[in-house]
Amino acid sequence: MSSSKDADPTLGYLTRKDTEVKLPRPTRVKNKTPAPIQITAEQILREARERQEAEIRPPKQKITDSTELGEYRLRKRKEFEDLIRRVRWNVSVWIKYAQWEESQKDFTRARSVWERALEVDYKNHTLWLKYAEVEMKNKFINHARNVWDRAVTLLPRVDQLWYKYIHMEEMLGNVAGARQVFERWMKWMPDQQGWLSYIKFELRYNEIERARGIFERFVLCHPRVGAWIRYAKFEMKNGEVPKARNVYERAVEKLADDEEAELLFVAFAEFEERCKEAERARCIYKFALDHIPKGRAEDLYRKFVAFEKQYGDREGIEDAIVGKRRFQYEDEVRKNPLNYDSWFDYIRLEESVGNKERTREVYERAIANVPPAEEKRYWQRYIYLWINYALYEELDAGDMERTRDVYKECLNQIPHQKFSFAKIWLLAAQFEIRQLNLTGARQILGNAIGKAPKDKIFKKYIEIELQLGNIDRCRKLYEKYLEWSPENCYAWSKYAELERSLAETERARAIFELAIAQPALDMPELLWKAYIDFETAECEFERARALYERLLDRTKHLKVWQSYAEFEATAIDESLELSEQEQKEQCLQRARKVFEDALNHFRSSAPDLKEERAMLLEKWLNLEASSGELGDVSLVQSKLPKKLKKRRQVSTEDGSSRIEEFIDYLFPEETHTTNLKIMEAAYKWKKQKLSNE
């Protein structure tokens, strides 16, 4: 039951197992050592050749009379007919049959075989070729002509049939017949080679006018650049320069926008060059460069440069070289319009040439490529296109109205709600100032502060108004500045500096007080320093001291203590009726008190900041040493710490640990404490020992 299921109808209802080919198992080679006598592949092949048996050939048959010949022919025909019945579609069998009949000089039978073969496959052009060759070989011209005629009628797209037919007629001297065959062929609009063969045929018989007429039909049938160039070269070869020029001009009219137009213009220009018409050739090159897309004009540029080097003057050569570079830049900006560096290079090239209209056109094309995203990093290079455009219009072109329009359009283009560029606002304002239009400059800067306030804009606007002496405007601007950025210490300092320069001390002091009262400042240390320097410059030492005390209430930083001590050491009040020596002594006493307060703070509130204490003591020591007779170095030396080199374990970024050395400071009071701790530990150990006993 199972075997009938496994049976496969395609295998004659045998199972797969029954049909498996069982190959003999390969014998295992036990002895794998090399044989003493080695045999090469060459020896094996030679032996095989020597032992080959001779080929069995049938005996040669000699026919002695007509009866044997008849039998031989009958037998061969029967063999061919049987073969044809078996493989009717095999063309080579038909050809052998027909050629055998031809060899027997029975041309009627041979034709019959050829005709029967054509009935089987008339589309096979090899049959037609062999058939016609047989007729021609045996000088049956009319029969051959008949075969060719039928062949080209049935297979008009097979060029070989037409070529053979025409060749036969030409060899027979039947030029009119060959021309007639060509005309029949041309009605089928063959490829270029067919038309060129017809033209060569006419030229062989010196029929120039006929060839010209064929060329006219040729360019209508194949309106391509190559066809027109051949036509023009034909006219040139025959010395017809006006006609050749006319052909080129007609070609340019019809194919100026063709993909291969570059070849046409190059050929036309070279033709004019050969005719010694350099100006015509130059005009053709320039016309071509203006009309052909830059991506397809590489060869044209190269030829133009070579032409100018040969025939042009210095200006022409430079223009040609610029044209070549212009082509390169055009190619770059076509591939990536947002590559602003390429636009800068292109613009620089056009500016060096000096053609204003062309430069403006490139600028306009460049600024049209607005960055796709409204993010400042994408606009940073783009904005310089506008800046360069405006500067070009102002400095090179001298068109002030156009410059103003460029700045205006640029400011409209920037999305000020997301980001802005202070540089553009300032350049636009400075331009208006150069044009003596102060109102316009103020309007621009006012718009800038309203739309996109920035530090640079405020600083520049205040600087302009200060130079003009408008103090009230400066005050208003500082108020706007601080209203926009109340944490800006620079603005507060500059505002107070302005008031001080105007001898408005109270106003300056009030500004400083407002500034230090702000809840958040970007650089408070600079502001406090400016305020203290202001009071010191005004010789208001008590106020300066009060400021230092207020500052120390906020921060106990080392630099504040050092600055306070330095201030006290140099705060000599000339209004007091004391000698200089006494005043210096008082200053030193006050400085010592500051140092003492600082050391007490670090000792009690920040014992870990040992390095800061050491730096403070070093500063104090330097002060005592530089004070001469008034200084007392021993006061500080007793407080100086010892430097100890220690090691500690630190963890690295990868999780492992390493040992590093560091400097530690041991102060005198810490040494005493350390000794007490050692004594306490020893007493405890002794007490424990006694209790154990």
Side-chain angles (χ1 to χ4, degrees), residues 124-346:
N124 191 329
H125 66 278
T126 310
L127 279 174
W128 290 104
L129 290 170
K130 297 278 185 186
Y131 188 7
E133 280 172 12
V134 167
E135 296 290 7
M136 286 193 296
K137 188 166 66 176
N138 293 290
K139 299 184 181 179
F140 295 115
I141 303 303
N142 285 330
H143 280 289
R145 198 173 276 138
N146 183 20
V147 171
W148 287 126
D149 198 74
R150 287 163 60 203
V152 297
T153 306
L154 291 170
L155 302 173
R157 292 294 175 197
V158 180
D159 294 348
Q160 195 177 2
L161 298 174
W162 291 103
Y163 284 127
K164 292 277 188 180
Y165 190 7
I166 292 161
H167 180 65
M168 184 192 80
E169 294 291 358
E170 197 173 355
M171 292 302 288
L172 293 169
N174 186 9
V175 177
R179 188 176 287 122
Q180 195 175 357
V181 176
F182 264 123
E183 286 296 333
R184 280 177 63 192
W185 188 14
M186 294 307 113
K187 287 177 184 176
W188 287 98
M189 294 186 178
D191 61 3
Q192 289 194 18
Q193 200 55 45
W195 288 95
L196 294 174
S197 299
Y198 192 8
I199 291 163
K200 285 177 186 174
F201 166 78
E202 293 294 359
L203 291 175
R204 278 200 295 274
Y205 298 100
N206 207 23
E207 294 284 351
I208 305 298
E209 282 303 319
R210 283 182 182 274
R212 189 173 286 120
I214 297 162
F215 260 120
E216 287 290 341
R217 289 157 61 194
F218 174 36
V219 293
L220 287 175
C221 181
H222 295 283
R224 293 177 191 163
V225 169
W228 285 98
I229 291 173
R230 284 178 185 275
Y231 188 9
K233 284 181 178 177
F234 158 77
E235 295 291 4
M236 187 69 182
K237 192 175 179 181
N238 290 303
E240 299 284 351
V241 174
K243 287 185 178 179
R245 186 174 288 124
N246 182 38
V247 170
Y248 275 121
E249 287 169 0
R250 285 164 59 199
V252 168
E253 283 175 17
K254 294 188 177 182
L255 303 174
D257 300 326
D258 192 77
E259 286 185 2
E260 297 179 337
E262 181 192 8
L263 298 174
L264 177 63
F265 284 115
V266 168
F268 194 4
E270 286 177 350
F271 159 75
E272 294 293 358
E273 206 176 321
R274 282 194 296 273
C275 296
K276 310 297 183 188
E277 295 282 354
E279 277 306 313
R280 279 177 177 271
R282 186 175 286 109
C283 291
I284 291 162
Y285 276 124
K286 288 184 177 178
F287 177 82
L289 291 172
D290 289 340
H291 285 77
I292 293 177
K294 302 296 182 286
R296 299 206 304 259
E298 192 171 351
D299 188 47
L300 192 66
Y301 271 113
R302 193 167 57 250
K303 291 280 176 64
F304 183 38
V305 171
F307 168 79
E308 286 294 350
K309 284 179 181 176
Q310 188 174 355
Y311 296 99
D313 53 5
R314 183 182 173 185
E315 188 179 340
I317 293 167
E318 285 178 0
D319 188 43
I321 292 167
V322 165
K324 190 175 181 181
R325 287 173 61 198
R326 189 179 286 134
F327 159 71
Q328 291 169 352
Y329 290 135
E330 282 287 347
D331 190 43
E332 284 179 25
V333 298
R334 180 173 52 81
K335 286 177 183 172
N336 184 9
L338 297 176
N339 183 0
Y340 299 119
D341 289 331
S342 299
W343 284 110
F344 284 126
D345 294 339
Y346 194 1

Side-chain angles (χ1 to χ4, degrees), residues 460-472:
K460 196 67 183 176
Y461 197 180
I462 291 164
E463 185 189 327
I464 290 167
E465 294 296 354
L466 197 58
Q467 285 173 349
L468 294 169
N470 294 322
I471 305 302
D472 289 335

Side-chain angles (χ1 to χ4, degrees), residues 48-111:
R49 179 74 177 166
E50 286 170 0
R51 293 179 185 180
Q52 194 173 12
E53 293 180 0
E55 187 182 349
I56 300 169
R57 292 181 181 176
K60 287 186 179 180
Q61 189 179 7
K62 289 186 179 180
I63 298 169
T64 55
D65 57 6
S66 57
T67 309
E68 284 183 9
L69 179 59
E71 288 174 1
Y72 164 71
R73 285 177 175 172
L74 185 63
R75 187 171 66 255
K76 286 294 282 182
R77 284 186 186 123
K78 188 174 184 306
E79 285 173 9
F80 277 121
E81 290 294 342
D82 291 343
L83 196 57
I84 284 167
R85 271 198 298 275
R86 285 203 306 276
V87 285
R88 182 181 173 81
W89 45 268
N90 194 333
V91 175
S92 61
V93 175
W94 288 103
I95 292 171
K96 284 177 184 176
Y97 189 8
Q99 286 175 345
W100 181 81
E101 290 289 1
E102 181 204 350
S103 68
Q104 300 301 313
K105 303 299 180 184
D106 195 342
F107 298 112
T108 309
R109 282 182 178 277
R111 286 192 193 102

